[in-house]
Amino acid sequence: MRQAGRSLPEYRALRERHGFFEIAGTPELCAEVTLQPVRRHGVDAAVLFADIMSPVLGMGVEVELVEGVGPVVGERIDSAAAVEQLRVSEPEEWAAPILEAVRLVRGELEPDRALVGFCGGPFTVAGYLVEGRPSRDFVRTKTLMYREPETWHALMERLTEQFARYVAATAATGADAIQLFDSWVGALSVSDYREFVAPYSARVLGAAGVPTIHFGTGTTTQLLAEMAAAGGSAVGVDWRISLDDAWTVVGEERAIQGNLEPAVLLGPWERAEWAALDVLRRAAGRPGHVFNLGHGVLPQTDPDVLTRLAELVRSYGHAA
Ligand code: CP3
C-alpha cells in the first residue's frame, strides 16, 4: 500500500511538525513512519519512506513536494547544459540517513515481514525533471526525446547510474525487495518505450541483487509485455486491467502485484469487499500473487477500511 501513511493521523501529526525531506533525512523519523502502516494494519511488508525524487536531490536538483500537486522542480532539466550539471554520487554521500533507516527498520521488523525499498523509473523521474512539475501529456518530455535524442539518452544515462547505485546500496543494507515505480510509463507508445526507456529500467532492476517489482500505470497489454521483458521478478499492475488477463500477458512464471482500484475503498465496505475478493479470485491461488492496490492509497481513505482490507486478504489466504 504505497503512500498509506498519507491517510494516517499519526503520519499527519508528524508532518505538521516536520517537512517531508526532513523526515526522510532523519533516520529515527524515517524508520518510524515506515513502520506506522505495518503496526496499524498488520501488512506483510513495510515500504521504505522516501520519494521517487529523493535520489535526484543527491544529484543537485532542487525539489519540493507540493501538497495536492506533486513534485515541483526548481529549474527544468530540458537542455544538454542542464543535464551536464547533474552529478552522479555515491549513496553513502547523499542517502546515509535513508540507509541508516533501513538498518533501524530491519532491526525492528519481524523476520517474516519484508522491507521494500524503491526508486522511480528513469522515465517517470525524467518526466518530472523535464516538465518541472506533474504533467498529463508529457509534451516537453516527448519533444526532448524526439528532437534531441542524445540529450534524452544522456539524461537517462545519469538517472540510471544514480538509481542503480541507490537500489544496490538499499538492498545491500537490508531491503528484501526493490520496487521500480515507472508510474507514468503508460503515456508512451510501445516502440518509444522499447527505444527510449526499457534498456534503462532493465539496468536499474538488474542492479538490485534482490527480488524486484516492476510497476507502471495505464499500461496496455502490449506495454505490459514490454515491461515484463525489461525485467522484474514481479510485475505490478494497476486496476484498469483484470489480474488474470495481466497474468496471461506477463507469463505464469512471473509473479504479479496488484490490483485493487484504490477509489473503491471510498465506497461502501460491501463494494470494496466484493472488489477485493474479485482480485483474489482472479489470482486463483497462484503462489506469486502480492495483493496490493492498483496505485497508491488515496489520502481520503479511512484507515479502518485499510485495516479491514488487510484482515480480509489474510483470512482469504488462510481459508484457501
Ligand atoms: O508508502 C509510503 O508512504 C512510502 C513512500 C513513498 C512516497 N512516495 C512518500 C510520499 C513512495 C513509495 C512514493 C512513490 C512516489 N512518489 C510515486 C510513485 C507511486 C506510485 O505508486 O506510482 C510518485 C509518482 C511520487 C511523486 C509524488 N510524491 C507525488 C505524486 C506526491 C503526492 C503529492 C500530493 O500530496 O498530492 C508525492 C508526495 C508524497 N510522497 C507523500 C508521501 C507520503 C504525501 C505528501 C507529504 O507527506 O508531503
Side-chain angles (χ1 to χ4, degrees), residues 1-6 11 15 18-21 23 33-34 37 46-53 65-71 116 118-120 124 128 134 179 181-184 215-217 293-297 299:
M1 291 184 190
R2 280 127 20 211
Q3 304 190 353
R6 285 196 293 182
Y11 172 72
R15 272 289 278 121
H18 306 279
F20 183 96
F21 289 117
I23 296 178
V33 298
T34 297
V47 182
L48 182 62
F49 186 83
D51 193 77
I52 59 167
M53 300 305 279
L65 294 178
V66 180
E67 202 182 327
V69 178
V116 181
F118 69 93
C119 76
T124 291
Y128 284 120
Q179 179 151 356
F181 288 108
D182 213 352
S183 306
W184 312 130
F215 171 78
T217 73
L293 306 192
H295 207 174
V297 172

Side-chain angles (χ1 to χ4, degrees), residues 36-53:
Q36 279 174 349
V38 182
R39 286 197 202 112
R40 195 189 253 262
H41 305 306
V43 285
D44 296 328
V47 182
L48 182 62
F49 186 83
D51 193 77
I52 59 167
M53 300 305 279

